[in-house]
Amino acid sequence: MVWRILLAGDLVRIINGGFRIESQLLARLPFFVSAFVATFGLASWLSYTGALTTLSMNTASLAVSIAWISLACTVVELLPFGDDNWTVPIVGGVLAETMLS
């Protein structure tokens, strides 16, 4: 689940590369949106098909939890230290383990 957040955010940034956005926070909005949509969509689909049976929460709770995880990963990616290819998955994994179990 965590790698989808990183992959979706980087993919949108590549696609959006031709546009110059001045605000650092506004530039991360596509990361947040794509991370949320990709993760929520895949988690919902896997839960619906029965491949992901460990989630025992309803759709609204799942959406809120994934939104918080995506927001935290967006903030971590915004921080000027460390390699976001390591920090984002680590933070996302720890939060997913605690919030979704």
Side-chain angles (χ1 to χ4, degrees):
M1 183 176 300
V2 175
W3 293 109
R4 283 186 300 280
I5 291 174
L6 191 62
L7 178 64
D10 286 347
L11 181 62
V12 168
R13 189 175 317 132
I14 290 169
I15 293 169
N16 195 24
F19 302 102
R20 178 145 173 83
I21 301 175
E22 296 298 324
S23 169
Q24 281 284 343
L25 194 55
L26 187 60
R28 298 304 189 256
L29 185 61
F31 179 91
F32 171 77
V33 171
S34 62
F36 173 76
V37 169
T39 305
F40 180 72
L42 190 59
S44 297
W45 179 68
L46 289 174
S47 182
Y48 174 76
T49 60
L52 185 65
T53 58
T54 57
L55 290 178
S56 61
M57 50 180 55
N58 61 20
T59 305
S61 297
L62 179 65
V64 169
S65 296
I66 290 175
W68 280 112
I69 294 168
S70 298
L71 181 63
C73 289
T74 303
V75 170
V76 167
E77 196 211 15
L78 186 63
L79 297 175
F81 60 87
D83 182 6
D84 65 347
N85 291 326
W86 286 98
T87 57
V88 170
I90 289 170
V91 168
V94 169
L95 289 175
E97 182 63 31
T98 57
M99 294 178 76
L100 298 178
S101 56

